[in-house]
Amino acid sequence: MNRLIFLVFLSWLVSIGFPQNAQAKRSKGLTVEEQYELGQRYLKRGYYIKAVEQFNRIRNNYRDDALAIEAELAIADVHFKKGDWDIARTSYDAFRRRYPRHERIDYVVYQIGLTFYKKAPRFAGRDQTWTSQAISSWARFEDKYTTSEYGVEVLELREECLERLAKKEIRITEFYVRREAWVAVQRRAKGLVQEYPDSQYKAEALYWLSLSSTYTNEIETVTAALAQLDALDPERSAVARRKIDRIKQAQMELSND
């Protein structure tokens, strides 16, 4: 029995302990720079466990070296590459709080936003909490990091996220239109116009805002919505005016009855 236990233990050492020792020996004798490059090669090749082990070794054994900080950031990159968005975001955020003046802090903030963006569903009808979080994480990025190489991409991704939220709002507006819930239609359409003034869905929102406000007898809102729609989409504005005339005619007929 004792011999059997020994053989099992020896087998475990071979499968677990020896490779780790071999890896440690391969790192022995390398400079910290060479060890860091080894970790980066592991990362690029998709050897994520080895990469984390290598970067942790640098972080733990060379605490006074600048590459120890870079290794900490690289560990967050490993989690990002693996698609572990929550762990990556936690790692990046911890790095941001620990080293707020780091020369690559713009990259860190960019990556934090990307973890939200990656989690967000592309279909507008689904919960867009992560999309909103991505937008918030990139707030005023271009003002804070004016020379960042990620500035243009952040603007593009943020615009995409805003369009997705606007699309969700217009779909909810249409849901209420089908039910002729005009107060809800007005509230959603007005919110879209105010929150997403540059959206491609603004004209559609103004259309429904003018019609719903006609149903609720808010003439000033109708007039303001049509004025904006005239400048943005004259054809749609003309359709809205004809529809409004029919609504008013139907309202008059009902009042006469």
Side-chain angles (χ1 to χ4, degrees), residues 4 37 65 138 148 159 230:
L4 178 60
E37 288 302 319
D65 196 290
W138 287 326
S148 175
E159 182 178 346
D230 284 339

Side-chain angles (χ1 to χ4, degrees), residues 46-83:
Y47 302 151
Y48 299 129
I49 294 177
K50 289 185 176 181
V52 169
E53 289 175 350
Q54 186 64 35
F55 291 132
N56 268 322
R57 187 175 296 110
I58 295 170
R59 188 177 63 171
N60 295 333
N61 296 337
Y62 302 92
R63 293 184 182 277
D64 295 331
D65 196 290
L67 281 177
I69 298 176
E70 296 301 322
E72 189 171 340
L73 179 55
I75 291 173
D77 288 336
V78 173
H79 293 305
F80 185 88
K81 288 286 188 179
K82 289 175 62 180

Side-chain angles (χ1 to χ4, degrees), residues 176-195:
Y176 287 123
V177 168
R178 291 192 293 271
R179 284 152 181 76
E180 298 185 356
W182 301 116
V183 173
V185 171
Q186 183 187 49
R187 183 175 66 252
R188 289 290 181 171
K190 183 181 292 186
L192 192 157
V193 171
Q194 293 174 345
E195 293 180 32

